[in-house]
């Protein structure tokens, strides 16, 4: 299994990596990106062996306003047929993540420290 975690906060990236390493098999490949643009670079570099799961924050670089950077990233992922079977999961504190998730037919988890680890376990 290959996973990409995209978040502009180093602290959150570290948190996600630690939780995923605790609940997934050792041979799981987990990569990370610190922006939507870097996430897109990783997506295209791995086109021949796509990520199975892509986690993305919504609120990252401001280049895509009024759209969230994470929303722009999801739209880009959806243009690649190689990623049509990949799970995309929004992890964000943005108040409208449910609406965005429904719009793009992806999953979401609210970014809440007290609940996030339990929510991760439900995914796998």
């Amino acid at each position: 299994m290959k996973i990409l975690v995209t978040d502009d906060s180093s602290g959150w990236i570290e948190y996600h990596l630690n939780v995923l390493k605790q609940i997934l098999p050792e041979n799981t490949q987990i990569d990370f990106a610190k922006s939507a643009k870097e996430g897109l670079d990783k997506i295209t570099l791995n086109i021949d062996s796509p990520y199975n799961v892509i986690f993305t924050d919504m609120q990252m670089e401001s280049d895509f306003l009024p759209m969230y950077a994470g929303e722009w990233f999801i739209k880009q992922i959806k243009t690649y047929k190689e990623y049509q079977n990949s799970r995309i999961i929004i992890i964000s504190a943005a108040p409208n993540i449910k609406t965005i998730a429904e719009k793009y037919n992806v999953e979401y988890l609210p970014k809440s420290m007290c609940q996030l680890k339990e929510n991760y376990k439900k995914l796998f």
Side-chain angles (χ1 to χ4, degrees), residues 20-34:
L20 289 168
K21 286 177 183 177
Q22 289 175 33
I23 63 174
L24 294 173
E26 271 186 40
N27 62 342
T28 302
Q29 177 184 331
I30 305 171
D31 296 333
F32 66 89
K34 292 189 173 191

Side-chain angles (χ1 to χ4, degrees), residues 106-119:
V106 299
E107 300 171 66
Y108 72 96
L109 295 175
K111 201 182 243 185
S112 164
M113 286 291 266
C114 59
Q115 296 177 333
L116 196 53
K117 187 173 180 180
E118 291 307 311
N119 286 334

Side-chain angles (χ1 to χ4, degrees), residues 40-102:
L40 183 59
D41 289 344
K42 299 251 180 175
I43 292 293
T44 56
L45 286 171
N46 287 274
I47 201 79
D48 293 329
S49 178
Y51 291 101
N52 304 98
V53 182
I54 303 160
F55 292 98
T56 185
D57 187 18
M58 281 288 100
Q59 299 166 302
M60 295 182 282
E61 66 263 52
S62 59
D63 301 356
F64 308 104
L65 290 175
M67 182 184 300
Y68 288 127
E71 186 175 2
W72 174 86
F73 183 41
I74 291 168
K75 287 176 75 169
Q76 303 313 302
I77 297 166
K78 295 276 190 173
T79 65
Y80 293 94
K81 67 177 178 12
E82 294 85 354
Y83 283 96
Q84 68 185 3
N85 295 319
S86 298
R87 290 173 73 187
I88 301 171
I89 303 165
I90 299 169
I91 300 181
S92 181
N96 56 342
I97 61 169
K98 180 179 180 185
T99 303
I100 293 169
E102 289 171 349

